Amino acid sequence: MKNKTKYIKYLSIIVSMLVFIGCDDFLDVNENPNDPSISTPDLTLPVAQQALVDINAEEMTYLGQFMTYNWSTPSNWSANQELIQYNIANTFFSNIFEESYLLVFKDLTFVENFGGDESDIDYSAYKAIATILKSFQYQYLVDLYGDIPFSEANLRAENPTPAYDDEEAVYTALIDNLTTAAVLALNVSADAENPGTQDIIYGGDMTHWAEFANTIKLRLLVRLSGTGQDAYIQEQLDLIAANGAGYITSNVSANPGYSDNEGKQSPFFGYIGRGPNNTTLDRNDFTVATDYILEYLTTNGDDRLNQLYSEAVNGGYKGAEQTTILPGSGFTSNDLSHVGPGLLVSSEQDQPLMLYSEGLLLQAEATVRGYLPGGDAAAKALYEAAIEESFEYLHVPPIDADATATPPVEAATTLERAQAYHSQPIKNVAWDSSTDKIEAIITQKWIALNGTSSIESWVELTRTGFPVGLPIPAESDGVRPVRLLYPDSEVGRNALNVPAQTKSDAFTNNPFWK
């Protein structure tokens, strides 16, 4: 499952993290943290965390943005043809699978299993963190691939050809693992090693890790809402309530000390924004807004538009359909809107792994379905709070009063602009104007996660069918993909265990929870 280019990239990250982490222990590293014989959890954890954040910020976000019809390609570039034509093959975004095992699970499993004769240090905090992060990424592999190596995975030379576990069984195991990890995080001994700055996400705050574990578990349980397992879902939510940590109350983000230097930029910014010293990136130039998303945001009076997308070089906000045959005139990169300033802040920006707005919308859906208490009033409050949080995250600016304007403009804070937006009597905007509350929640999730966790929006589109009306590229076969195919590298290496697939499975073989 090795992607040589990316493998080299992450070996270099091990060295570059010397500057990233402002911690004496990490600055002393001169060994390879991927080698268990010479590494320890404090050296390995931040490398695994960074690899996980990178995969989600880069390939997974880019894929999600095209599958949910947010981004397109201008006429002066020939990039992204496979994305636009839905040409799903065994090489299509294969690094999501490969890097998850090679760069993330391997190191996190080492952290989980470290101990015994190897050390007299209590690394239980590290172990809880590793379990939580593995559960986060394993869920996406199930959602995107179905059956995956799990119970026999990450055993290194002991089993280089692991069996594939049933996708639903993996979900159940992840739910159990998160239950245990949350309790462990809340009960770490005072004598245990505190990760501190070696934890580039929460700085060793184990209460926050328990909240994150609960929120990932909630996402798993909400995915199961259409499988007839309401009693099981309620039982598991009761366990969340019992540990008392609740759910995330802020964005789950990483920042080991990103800077405007080669290999050290915040991942999303360095992937699609600007290179060091403000150098131009090709991907930034060949990634533009779709006509559909700009029209949708404009029609619904959504002030997030100017933060999600930039004004075109030639003026105005303009998008393009997803097609490889755009007219040569009027649809070049200078004519179209690109990724906006609310997403591309700076090289030093925090890199989100899960937005607070997503956590609120998950709770809203669970409340609508009767899994969480409070009824319609509680669900509405969570829904509106999520929209308000989205406006804050994207830095939608306040408005200054202008008495000379016609009509006069009143001052409005960011919060007031968000409240004005969700007060409009428009379906899937105002709660009370939305007859299908689940549709409203998922539609707002699609907007809130635009450019961050948009792989989640694609999975939710597969699960719910929302948002309704998303176009499908004319050059495809008219059916949106519902999964990815196992990589060629895995098929060749583990042929006896990889489930048989054809190209049509990417379009017809829905996840078990569908």
Side-chain angles (χ1 to χ4, degrees):
M1 294 182 287
K2 179 180 290 187
N3 180 310
K4 184 175 181 182
T5 301
K6 298 292 284 188
Y7 183 73
I8 292 171
K9 171 186 172 183
Y10 281 100
L11 286 178
S12 69
I13 284 178
I14 296 167
V15 178
S16 67
M17 291 284 283
L18 300 178
V19 179
F20 275 3
I21 305 292
C23 171
D24 291 341
D25 290 341
F26 204 94
L27 290 172
D28 288 338
V29 178
N30 57 15
E31 298 97 350
N32 180 3
N34 289 296
D35 186 339
S37 66
I38 60 175
S39 189
T40 53
D42 57 309
L43 304 183
T44 306
L45 179 65
V47 177
Q49 288 180 322
Q50 187 59 55
L52 172 64
V53 167
D54 282 2
I55 295 168
N56 280 268
E58 298 173 357
E59 292 90 351
M60 290 173 66
T61 292
Y62 206 77
L63 173 62
Q65 286 291 90
F66 273 80
M67 291 301 167
T68 55
Y69 214 84
N70 289 324
W71 288 350
S72 186
T73 303
S75 61
N76 56 314
W77 284 92
S78 60
N80 299 323
Q81 292 190 19
E82 288 185 337
L83 274 167
I84 290 172
Q85 296 169 347
Y86 292 166
N87 186 16
I88 311 298
N90 297 95
T91 55
F92 183 83
F93 279 80
S94 59
N95 47 359
I96 293 174
F97 187 98
E98 295 164 341
E99 293 173 14
S100 292
Y101 283 97
L102 175 66
L103 301 176
V104 179
F105 297 146
K106 183 177 72 173
D107 281 352
L108 291 177
T109 299
F110 167 65
V111 173
E112 276 186 316
N113 295 337
F114 190 86
D117 295 336
E118 296 170 304
S119 173
D120 57 0
I121 299 174
D122 182 351
Y123 283 113
S124 55
Y126 284 85
K127 296 176 188 295
I129 293 170
T131 299
I132 293 164
L133 291 177
K134 283 178 67 177
S135 300
F136 177 93
Q137 192 67 6
Y138 265 126
Q139 178 182 12
Y140 277 128
L141 290 197
V142 172
D143 292 341
L144 297 174
Y145 292 95
D147 296 350
I148 56 170
F150 183 72
S151 59
E152 295 184 5
N154 313 307
L155 297 179
R156 301 171 65 85
E158 294 180 24
N159 188 357
T161 56
Y164 275 60
D165 292 77
D166 173 75
E167 54 187 325
E168 186 168 4
V170 176
Y171 250 55
T172 301
L174 295 178
I175 290 166
D176 290 343
N177 289 348
L178 287 164
T179 301
T180 302
V183 173
L184 175 59
L186 292 169
N187 292 280
V188 170
S189 168
D191 297 327
E193 184 79 1
N194 188 314
T197 55
Q198 299 300 96
D199 169 14
I200 67 172
I201 295 175
Y202 277 132
D205 188 320
M206 300 311 295
T207 300
H208 284 325
W209 277 108
E211 295 168 350
F212 188 30
N214 288 343
T215 309
I216 301 168
K217 180 176 173 179
L218 176 63
R219 184 164 69 187
L220 284 153
L221 294 170
V222 168
R223 287 274 209 279
L224 298 179
S225 59
T227 62
Q229 301 182 67
D230 286 354
Y232 170 73
I233 293 169
Q234 191 61 62
E235 170 190 299
Q236 293 299 320
L237 287 171
D238 290 345
L239 291 176
I240 291 177
N243 71 42
Y247 304 101
I248 60 172
T249 57
S250 60
N251 299 320
V252 182
S253 302
N255 197 331
Y258 297 126
S259 65
D260 191 33
N261 294 291
E262 187 69 35
K264 301 171 187 176
Q265 294 179 291
S266 184
F268 182 78
F269 189 92
Y271 185 74
I272 200 168
R274 306 290 292 180
N277 301 312
N278 204 36
T279 54
T280 301
L281 297 179
D282 285 350
R283 186 174 285 103
N284 177 271
D285 199 52
F286 66 61
T287 305
V288 297
T290 60
D291 49 357
Y292 182 86
I293 184 61
L294 294 184
E295 181 180 357
Y296 187 93
L297 296 172
T298 300
T299 299
N300 290 296
D302 196 326
D303 294 330
R304 289 172 287 185
L305 184 153
N306 295 3
Q307 298 301 102
L308 289 169
Y309 298 98
S310 66
E311 188 171 0
V313 171
N314 292 339
Y317 288 85
K318 183 178 180 180
E321 65 177 302
Q322 288 185 351
T323 177
T324 66
I325 51 174
L326 285 169
S329 176
F331 289 91
T332 70
S333 55
N334 286 344
D335 298 312
L336 302 170
S337 297
H338 293 254
V339 182
L343 296 172
L344 298 174
V345 179
S346 74
S347 295
E348 297 80 27
Q349 69 189 47
D350 291 350
Q351 180 58 57
L353 193 59
M354 177 185 280
L355 292 183
Y356 180 35
S357 55
E358 181 188 346
L360 291 167
L361 290 169
L362 283 168
Q363 293 173 69
E365 180 174 351
T367 303
V368 169
R369 295 188 183 279
Y371 301 142
L372 294 178
D376 186 74
K380 177 180 179 180
L382 289 162
Y383 172 85
E384 292 180 347
I387 293 173
E388 293 161 11
E389 175 60 29
S390 176
F391 271 65
E392 293 286 349
Y393 174 77
L394 290 170
H395 311 290
V396 174
I399 296 175
D400 294 329
D402 185 356
T404 65
T406 305
V409 175
E410 296 184 4
T413 65
T414 300
L415 175 59
E416 288 169 339
R417 294 186 74 179
Q419 292 170 336
Y421 165 74
H422 67 60
S423 296
Q424 300 176 99
I426 301 173
K427 178 184 177 182
N428 299 329
V429 175
W431 183 261
D432 293 337
S433 300
S434 304
T435 54
D436 188 328
K437 306 303 186 186
I438 303 300
E439 179 180 3
I441 289 167
I442 303 302
T443 301
Q444 285 300 322
K445 187 180 291 187
W446 167 61
I447 300 170
L449 303 188
N450 186 323
T452 53
S453 303
S454 45
I455 196 73
E456 177 71 14
S457 296
W458 178 32
V459 174
E460 291 290 65
L461 176 61
T462 300
R463 177 176 71 96
T464 67
F466 302 133
V468 170
L470 287 185
I472 294 176
E475 292 167 70
S476 71
D477 289 334
V479 180
R480 198 182 316 277
V482 296
R483 67 167 61 224
L484 300 177
L485 301 180
Y486 300 114
D488 275 337
S489 58
E490 176 68 1
V491 174
R493 186 192 63 83
N494 196 11
L496 295 179
N497 291 313
V498 178
Q501 284 183 324
T502 64
K503 184 173 181 177
S504 64
D505 282 307
F507 302 89
T508 60
N509 188 6
N510 280 297
F512 78 95
W513 38 249
K514 172 64 174 175

